[in-house]
Amino acid sequence: MNTNTADTEAIASTDVTADTTAISDPAAITRLFDRYLRSLDDRGAYDESWAAAFFTEDATTSTPAGNVRGRDAIAANVRMAMGLFDQTVHFGSNYLIDVDGDRATLLGNQLSTHVIVRQPAGGIPGRPPPRAPSARRPGPRTRP
């Protein structure tokens, strides 16, 4: 990451902080984050091995899906968020990377397009029911 309606997020800011003892090169950090975004669209398991490929135990993320700390919490957050979508496309850009010793912080823009999962009759368990479209009728047109 509906008779399918596409939900396109405005540019969202994503901040990821992770230990980078093996990676202190900003270009390598950029590639790592791009691989992370691509992995979201590949629709994998988002399990422990997936999370270990991108995050350290004490990593934090701040995204529209929430602010979380720790590799396991990040994986659970991603599984929850990605479970809402049939398909996704994620693009990252304008990375600002701050390397401080064996730690790095990446701040960048993310543009995401999400195709929402078809809702079963009665909606998705644990989620509020979808709002009905407004039945607004146009009034008579008058000219000045």
Side-chain angles (χ1 to χ4, degrees), residues 15-17 36 55 57-63 65-78 80:
D15 178 43
V16 178
T17 306
Y36 162 74
F55 301 101
E57 286 290 336
D58 63 341
T60 62
T61 63
S62 178
T63 70
N67 301 323
V68 292
R69 175 176 294 281
R71 183 186 295 159
D72 293 339
I74 292 169
N77 183 267
V78 169
M80 177 278 304

